[in-house]
Amino acid sequence: MSVSRLFLVRHALVEPSARAILYGDMDVRLCEAQLEAEAALYRWLAARLPRPARWVTTPLARTRATAAAIFAAGYPEQEVAIEPALAEQHLGEWQGITHEALTERLLEPPHPFWPHAAETRPPGGESLEDVRGRVGPVIERLAAEADDAVVVAHGGSIRAAIMHAMGLSAQQALAFSVKNLSLTTLEKHGAHWRVSGVNEEPWPFPGEG
């Protein structure tokens, strides 16, 4: 039976001004103040990710910059394909507003681990189910085209990939933690998906132990 593996890396932490708002698929920069603190994570990823592998990022600068930092940390530099369908969830009219302002617009209680309800589609934007609808076909194609692929993406699109692979609801998918610079690994065994790791980080975490 053929086996394909997708290694999904969430981009590094974004700048503080972006973290104060709902940035969705806005093109925000990485946090330069975190570069030194994240150096060990980049080195871990450079050693942990498979070689050879096909590399894919989204059009947003934060994923392309994260891929470049992994190459700089020791992974041989690769040609990187851009896949627009793996971009972060578009939040429509809510993009750019503060988290405090969002609470005034909510019609339903938020998910315990998300700013709004799991099934909510922001005005002019996407629900997580909408994101799954565009992410699912892409990960199926990547699994069909390459034995190993590294995808530098976003928390929303990585949860959508897990959602697709496991047949989960949005409510269930949002219960998964997907930290910045963590690794999620999906395997395609013939016609079947298996999740072999979610939110993987080095242990002990850099700076601990």
Side-chain angles (χ1 to χ4, degrees):
M1 180 184 297
S2 63
V3 178
S4 299
R5 301 183 299 173
L6 300 184
F7 295 79
L8 308 171
V9 178
R10 187 182 176 191
H11 62 79
L13 191 68
V14 299
E15 60 184 354
S17 61
R19 300 200 299 271
I21 62 173
L22 280 81
Y23 54 87
D25 65 354
M26 295 168 60
D27 210 358
V28 299
R29 295 180 301 171
L30 296 183
C31 180
E32 294 184 4
Q34 283 290 110
L35 290 177
E36 184 174 346
E38 292 168 339
L41 286 171
Y42 286 122
R43 290 194 298 271
W44 169 72
L45 285 167
R48 172 71 178 83
L49 294 170
R51 308 178 188 185
R54 179 179 181 181
W55 276 71
V56 179
T57 70
T58 78
L60 298 179
R62 56 188 180 271
T63 62
R64 291 183 283 111
T66 298
I70 296 171
F71 298 152
Y75 192 100
E77 190 162 352
Q78 306 289 309
E79 180 179 351
V80 179
I82 305 297
E83 181 51 69
L86 296 177
E88 184 57 286
Q89 181 178 1
H90 178 55
L91 299 178
E93 294 177 12
W94 292 354
Q95 289 199 164
I97 69 172
T98 64
H99 294 274
E100 292 76 16
L102 175 64
T103 60
E104 302 172 1
R105 305 190 185 196
L106 296 181
L107 301 178
E108 303 173 86
H111 187 279
F113 304 111
W114 201 245
H116 54 77
E119 305 296 339
T120 296
R121 179 181 291 111
E126 296 177 298
S127 66
L128 187 56
E129 178 61 38
D130 295 329
V131 180
R132 187 209 62 79
R134 58 176 165 81
V135 167
V138 175
I139 66 169
E140 292 287 349
R141 174 170 54 80
L142 290 174
E145 292 176 348
D147 292 339
D148 286 333
V150 175
V151 180
V152 185
H154 309 270
S157 48
I158 293 172
R159 289 186 184 93
I162 297 169
M163 191 175 167
H164 174 83
M166 298 184 67
L168 301 179
S169 68
Q171 182 76 16
Q172 293 168 321
L174 287 175
F176 283 92
S177 176
V178 181
K179 295 181 182 179
N180 297 103
L181 295 177
S182 69
L183 176 63
T184 293
T185 309
L186 307 180
E187 299 176 354
K188 187 73 181 290
H189 294 250
H192 304 285
W193 284 101
R194 181 169 75 175
V195 179
S196 60
V198 176
N199 201 45
E200 180 186 347
E201 298 177 287
W203 185 258
F205 192 81
E208 298 181 358

